[in-house]
Amino acid sequence: MTLPGMPVLFAGDEFGLVGADGEASRTPMPWGTETDPAVAARLGLYRELIALRRQHPALATGGLRWVHVDENTVVFVRESADESVLVLVTTTDADLTLPSAAVLGADRAIALVGDATLAAASDGAVLIAAEGPAFAAWVLPGVSAPTGDSEAPAS
């Protein structure tokens, strides 16, 4: 729900269904289990993520800039003129220090979802920490796009 493109739920993802390869993966949808605590929690998570995308247009139409990628963690920003959204996804604990230029406006970040910490250090570095697995997002100020109105250099 935070990456570019059309979000897709496939073959019972919203119910937490899993299956093996081939025909064994074609398990029937367990209709009527929506009130089961595990299913209700997963459905609630999808509702929350869909609402997040609807409330923050940068998640649907903003540009994408990768900030950090390693074997366990990705951090990216979806940017627009009105706002930006910083997203952390990690399969393990995360303890990152990013250069100040990587996350503009981190000192004005507002947490949207998730249990992770984002802080701007006194030297401007951006600190992100989370106990994984974790997903978190923060809203940041928007960014200015070049206007394209600059004159061509003189020959």
Side-chain angles (χ1 to χ4, degrees):
M1 297 294 168
T2 58
L3 288 169
M6 181 183 301
V8 175
L9 300 179
F10 177 76
D13 286 346
E14 71 276 24
F15 282 85
L17 296 182
V18 295
D21 292 335
E23 288 301 313
S25 67
R26 296 176 179 251
T27 55
M29 185 66 75
W31 298 114
T33 63
E34 296 87 349
T35 58
D36 174 84
V39 173
R42 184 164 305 255
L43 289 170
L45 171 64
Y46 276 98
R47 285 186 189 104
E48 182 181 354
L49 293 174
I50 291 167
L52 183 71
R53 186 174 177 99
R54 287 182 174 163
Q55 292 165 0
H56 298 279
L59 292 175
T61 60
L64 171 70
R65 185 169 52 83
W66 297 103
V67 175
H68 173 87
V69 177
D70 66 34
E71 64 187 39
N72 299 307
T73 305
V74 295
V75 179
F76 59 90
V77 181
R78 297 296 307 276
E79 298 172 312
S80 73
D82 296 327
E83 70 174 5
S84 296
V85 178
L86 176 70
V87 177
L88 162 76
V89 181
T90 186
T91 59
T92 61
D93 292 351
D95 189 10
L96 306 171
T97 301
L98 306 170
S100 60
V103 183
L104 301 176
D107 58 331
R108 293 176 277 160
I110 299 170
L112 294 174
V113 64
D115 273 335
T117 301
L118 173 73
S122 59
D123 65 356
V126 178
L127 311 172
I128 299 177
E131 292 183 19
F135 169 83
W138 298 265
V139 68
L140 305 169
V143 295
S144 299
T147 62
D149 293 339
S150 61
E151 293 181 23
S155 7

